[in-house]
Amino acid sequence: MLETYPKSINLDRQKLAAAIDALIACGGACTACADACLSEDTVGELTKCIRTNLDCADVCAATARVLSRHTGYDANLSRALLEACVTACKSCGDECGRHAGHHEHCRICADACRSCEQACRDLLTAMG
């Protein structure tokens, strides 16, 4: 879709596309992980995990939507959202990582969070 945008984009299109793809994948993984946590017999022990999953999914979704719009682009807003996403992904990845040995969905989610965190960092670096 980025290739069809008729004007120039002031960002590296490949890094932008990678970040958007990672954000969408991470948001989906976090939503699915929260749902799976709610079905675990030990759901009471997963409260923080569920919360960080849902927060991360929301931040990723908002960031992906904003990064997908280019008309009237606001670099400061994009930077702030990417930084928030790095924070949310780090927090969720760390929390899911604590449960990864017992719950496969948490391992998968932690991996998605770490990948998304890196893609957001890469885009931030490219933005300067």
Side-chain angles (χ1 to χ4, degrees), residues 92-117:
C92 191
D94 288 349
E95 182 60 27
C96 279
R98 287 184 197 50
H99 306 284
H102 292 65
H103 305 292
E104 180 67 3
H105 53 86
C106 286
R107 186 196 62 74
I108 292 167
C109 187
D111 289 348
C113 287
R114 291 185 182 108
S115 293
C116 188
E117 179 186 357

Side-chain angles (χ1 to χ4, degrees), residues 26-63:
C26 187
C30 289
T31 299
C33 188
D35 184 63
C37 285
L38 287 168
S39 294
E40 292 288 351
D41 292 336
T42 57
V43 67
E45 298 170 16
L46 298 168
T47 303
K48 185 175 180 185
C49 191
I50 295 164
R51 170 60 191 260
T52 58
N53 282 158
L54 296 175
D55 288 348
C56 191
D58 287 346
V59 172
C60 286
T63 304

Side-chain angles (χ1 to χ4, degrees), residues 3 11 13-14 20 27-28 38 40 55 68 72 80 85 88 93 96 107 109-114 119-120 122-123:
E3 295 302 320
L11 295 169
R13 286 185 192 229
Q14 287 182 315
I20 292 169
L38 287 168
E40 292 288 351
D55 288 348
S68 295
C85 203
C96 279
R107 186 196 62 74
C109 187
D111 289 348
C113 287
R114 291 185 182 108
C120 289
D122 291 347
L123 185 56

Side-chain angles (χ1 to χ4, degrees), residues 16 19-25 58-69 81-82 85:
L16 177 59
I20 292 169
D21 288 346
L23 287 159
I24 293 167
D58 287 346
V59 172
C60 286
T63 304
R65 285 192 305 271
V66 169
L67 289 179
S68 295
R69 295 188 289 263
L81 284 167
L82 285 164
C85 203

